[in-house]
Amino acid sequence: MSAATEYCDREIAKCKDMIRNWPHEAPCLNRLIKGWQRTKQQLKNSESINNAKD
């Protein structure tokens, strides 16, 4: 796993922790989580494309 995907995982965990502390902010934080998950998926896709080229 690359450092970038690990960073995404940490940010997702932070957002989930913030939801526990501030449940009224859940809709916004869930959008952030989806964005980090999308970024993580894009990173994985680009890594697999780069690996296929090698």
Side-chain angles (χ1 to χ4, degrees):
M1 186 181 295
S2 73
T5 56
E6 289 178 16
Y7 181 78
C8 290
D9 287 337
R10 283 194 303 271
E11 291 301 314
I12 291 167
K14 283 183 198 176
C15 289
K16 288 180 179 180
D17 188 49
M18 285 191 274
I19 289 173
R20 285 191 287 278
N21 293 327
W22 298 290
H24 61 283
E25 297 292 343
C28 179
L29 291 166
N30 283 326
R31 284 192 302 274
L32 284 172
I33 289 170
K34 286 182 183 183
W36 283 115
Q37 289 170 336
R38 190 170 39 252
T39 301
K40 183 178 171 184
Q41 186 61 46
Q42 289 172 345
L43 288 167
K44 284 184 181 179
N45 290 344
S46 66
E47 285 177 2
S48 63
I49 290 170
N50 289 338
N51 290 339
K53 288 180 182 178
D54 294 339

